[in-house]
Amino acid sequence: MRVMGLDVGSKTVGVAISDPLGWTAQGVETIVINEAASEFGFNRVVELVKEYEVEKIVIGMPKNMNNTAGPRAEASQKYGRSLEKRLEIPIVFHDERLTTMQAERMLVEEANVSRKKRKEVIDKLAAVIILQNYLDLNIK
C-alpha cells in the first residue's frame, strides 16, 4: 500500500511517496502554490495519487510546541478537507513539529547543501520526514 506524505505551506507543498510495502519514504517533488491567490496545486496532487496508486495521504500537522493548533495547522486541516472532496482515500494528519528544522539541519550539517539549493528541496525533504515518521509508527 503506497502512502503519500504532504508538507503543506503557504507557497509550496512538499510531496513524498512510500514504497509499495509502506516501509520507506522517498521525496517526489515540490509543488508551487499561492495560498493568497487560492492556488493550491490540488490537480497535481490528484495526478500523483493516480500515478503512484496512493491509498492514503498523510498531511503534516504543524502544531505549536504547547500542542495547540495555530493558523498553519488550521490551514493544513483545510487543505486536507479540500483534498478529501477530490479523492476517495483516507487522509490523516501527523504531528510535524520541528520537521522543517530537522530537514534544514540535515541539508546543512550532513549534506553541506547551499542556501539556494536548500530552498528548492527543503519542503520535499520535510514531507519525507513526516511520512517516514508516520510509517515508522504505523508499521505492522
Side-chain angles (χ1 to χ4, degrees):
M1 169 172 106
R2 284 197 191 260
V3 182
M4 175 182 281
L6 299 177
D7 178 43
V8 180
S10 60
K11 297 179 181 173
T12 61
V13 176
V15 181
I17 301 286
S18 74
D19 67 285
L21 297 175
W23 291 353
T24 62
Q26 298 86 35
V28 174
E29 68 181 71
T30 301
I31 302 169
V32 177
I33 66 170
N34 184 341
E35 194 174 71
S38 297
E39 297 168 2
F40 297 104
F42 293 129
N43 291 340
R44 182 62 183 146
V45 173
V46 171
E47 287 173 5
L48 291 168
V49 165
K50 290 177 182 172
E51 178 182 341
Y52 288 95
E53 300 176 351
V54 171
E55 296 179 31
K56 181 185 285 186
I57 296 177
V58 177
I59 297 177
M61 179 60 68
K63 292 182 177 180
N64 296 321
M65 293 308 289
N66 66 0
N67 205 32
T68 61
R72 287 307 323 151
E74 291 169 8
S76 291
Q77 289 174 322
K78 184 177 178 183
Y79 193 92
R81 286 192 301 272
S82 294
L83 267 182
E84 276 183 321
K85 293 176 184 174
R86 292 165 171 80
L87 298 165
E88 294 183 11
I89 60 174
I91 296 180
V92 298
F93 295 92
H94 185 73
D95 190 347
E96 71 158 61
R97 282 177 277 190
L98 304 177
T99 55
T100 300
M101 287 177 43
Q102 183 181 359
E104 178 94 22
R105 187 173 37 243
M106 289 170 69
L107 292 170
V108 172
E109 295 173 9
E110 297 175 24
N112 198 24
V113 176
S114 71
R115 182 177 299 274
K116 182 179 185 240
K117 188 69 173 168
R118 280 194 311 259
K119 195 171 185 177
E120 295 172 11
V121 299
I122 191 96
D123 297 314
K124 180 169 55 173
L125 182 56
V128 170
I129 294 168
I130 291 164
L131 180 55
Q132 190 63 58
N133 288 345
Y134 174 83
L135 295 172
D136 291 346
L137 289 171
N138 292 284
I139 288 180
K140 297 174 180 92

